[in-house]
Amino acid sequence: MIVAMKPQATEEQIRAVCKKSEAMGLRAHLIYGVERTVVALTGIPGQLDPEDFESLPGVAEAIPITKPYKLASRETKTEDSLIQVGLPDNPVTIGGPELVVIAGPCAIESREQAFAAAASVRKSGARLFRGGAFKPRTSPYTFQGLGKEALEILAQVRQEFGMAIVTETIDPENCALVEEYTDILQVGARNMQNFSLLKRVGRSSRPVLLKRGISATLEEFLMAAEYIMAEGNYNVILCERGVRTFADHTRNTLDLSLIPAVKRRSHLPILVDPSHGTGKREKVIPLARAAIAVGADGLIIEVHPQPELALSDGFQSLHPDEFESLMEQITAIAGVVGRTTVRSAPSPSGTIRE
Ligand code: PEP
Ligand code: MN
């Protein structure tokens, strides 16, 4: 249930709604929108009577939410969520008019590799830097990441290039360490239903980049986001990265139909990862173009200074000059769909953003 407050409702009246719901064993989440403040109630699934809240001063109406995901639902919040990240002198908003591109290698391999990748992707217009420190690999015998050493290199990249960092946390025990270094906590596809990890990142002050599980339905994906939000962390960024199908011309099948479906059902921003989504370098740029055309809020792209030598995911990593071309192409498409990139000329008119 959500309790929508009247526009002129006072803080005290909002607090009274929270107090009442907490006395009923519920958790109250305050959602400040442009037009109205909403108190979203989560907790027990039992029947609630709207009357219990509509009789309180300052309340406009109490509305049951039909979807199983409550906080992630557009029914609860009609406006798009904007997630603020970045560094104080280089702020970035995910979910606004600017398409945000996160780029960097699959894994941090050395300081030289990370710095070369950061210098090139920054020059081409990436706003955040990615790089794995702890790698959840299919085989226990392949490169598992440099761990803490990689986190320290990421901290140097942040300092040197002024870019915010995105890196993955692989379990609840590892989260405190990753949290110290990263600006956005990534939860990988294989962990999308690791509920103890979801709850842990839900208690973090860092925004979370949540990747879709390899066979997750839209509802399962949004329920995973709900786990994070139910703990009080509302800064969730979704990411489509392909699902497992019978197709063997591609590593995964990038499900771009998910983007408009998410936009309809949820206020959360969604990025697309055409690197893991295809697993093949030559498919990354075409699907990045398509992702922007279909309404994604940005991209996450693997770029390596020498993909042939990469310790993981070299086949799908772009060369720096290919990433430059990707940025150029998506900047052109951005203008058509009413979005911008850092490389755009001043904002175009005649938008078709939904
Ligand atoms: C990654 O982004 O490095 C990664 C491992 O992705 P996914 O969890 O989508 O496989
Ligand atoms: Mn990878």
Side-chain angles (χ1 to χ4, degrees):
M1 169 122 61
I2 58 166
V3 180
M5 304 303 297
K6 291 180 178 157
Q8 67 277 18
T10 63
E11 280 302 316
E12 199 183 326
Q13 289 169 336
I14 297 171
R15 263 201 308 278
V17 171
C18 297
K19 237 174 126 187
K20 175 161 185 151
S21 50
E22 277 150 19
M24 292 166 79
L26 299 165
R27 180 160 177 174
H29 304 261
L30 278 183
I31 300 171
Y32 294 99
V34 175
E35 275 161 26
R36 61 179 191 180
T37 297
V38 158
V39 186
L41 309 180
T42 59
I44 45 166
Q47 282 289 332
L48 287 174
D49 185 352
E51 256 303 300
D52 283 339
F53 291 95
E54 284 177 346
S55 52
L56 296 178
V59 171
E61 54 180 342
I63 313 157
I65 299 297
T66 56
K67 295 283 191 287
Y69 40 89
K70 311 289 179 197
L71 301 169
S73 170
R74 272 240 191 251
E75 288 180 79
T76 298
K77 182 165 181 259
T78 50
E79 300 133 33
D80 290 342
S81 278
L82 303 178
I83 315 285
Q84 312 294 344
V85 287
L87 311 185
D89 53 355
N90 187 14
V92 178
T93 302
I94 300 181
E98 184 193 330
L99 298 172
V100 174
V101 179
I102 303 169
C106 177
I108 299 301
E109 298 167 4
S110 66
R111 185 176 183 276
E112 293 64 40
Q113 173 247 21
F115 272 46
S120 71
V121 300
R122 183 171 183 269
K123 182 166 67 59
S124 295
R127 297 280 266 146
L128 294 97
F129 186 70
R130 62 147 291 150
F134 297 92
K135 297 302 300 177
R137 304 300 301 281
T138 304
S139 164
Y141 308 121
T142 52
F143 180 57
Q144 304 284 308
L146 296 180
K148 188 158 191 270
E149 186 185 341
L151 295 176
E152 275 157 10
I153 295 171
L154 285 167
Q156 292 168 19
V157 168
R158 191 175 191 273
Q159 170 83 19
E160 182 74 22
F161 297 91
M163 294 172 92
I165 301 300
V166 183
T167 196
E168 181 167 352
T169 172
I170 52 171
D171 56 46
E173 294 72 49
N174 152 282
C175 193
L177 175 66
V178 177
E179 211 169 31
E180 261 181 60
Y181 289 87
T182 198
D183 298 283
I184 297 184
L185 285 164
Q186 178 171 324
V187 173
R190 289 155 196 81
N191 270 320
M192 191 207 79
Q193 284 190 319
N194 178 341
F195 298 115
S196 46
L197 180 61
L198 297 177
K199 287 186 191 166
R200 174 62 185 80
V201 299
R203 293 192 293 274
S204 176
S205 59
R206 303 269 184 249
V208 178
L209 176 69
L210 175 66
K211 299 190 98 181
R212 182 186 182 186
I214 56 175
S215 63
T217 63
L218 170 56
E219 186 166 307
E220 288 164 344
F221 192 19
L222 293 176
M223 289 308 285
E226 189 76 12
Y227 260 92
I228 300 169
M229 299 172 86
E231 295 294 324
N233 188 349
Y234 310 125
N235 292 320
V236 178
I237 304 144
L238 303 171
C239 179
E240 160 60 28
R241 48 77 72 204
V243 289
R244 182 71 60 85
T245 69
F246 55 81
D248 58 4
H249 61 280
T250 175
R251 177 178 175 183
N252 292 298
T253 297
L254 191 66
D255 178 13
L256 293 180
S257 71
L258 187 86
I259 312 309
V262 161
K263 290 283 171 200
R264 207 179 144 89
R265 289 169 181 77
S266 178
H267 52 86
L268 296 174
I270 180 157
L271 307 182
V272 170
D273 172 352
S275 306
H276 294 89
T278 64
K280 308 243 165 104
R281 185 176 307 129
E282 76 278 3
K283 291 191 170 71
V284 172
I285 293 182
L287 283 159
R289 291 195 301 255
I292 299 310
V294 85
D297 295 300
L299 299 167
I300 176 163
I301 305 286
E302 286 186 343
V303 182
H304 193 289
Q306 289 170 289
E308 299 71 23
L309 303 180
L311 298 181
S312 64
D313 286 347
F315 291 127
Q316 68 194 33
S317 300
L318 296 186
H319 291 98
D321 60 334
E322 292 169 318
F323 180 66
E324 167 68 19
S325 170
L326 177 150
M327 288 302 302
E328 193 182 319
Q329 295 183 45
I330 66 145
T331 300
I333 297 170
V336 180
V337 294
R339 309 293 288 259
T340 58
T341 74
V342 270
R343 296 168 59 128
S344 297
S347 171
S349 56
T351 69
I352 53 168
R353 188 175 177 205
E354 284 187 354

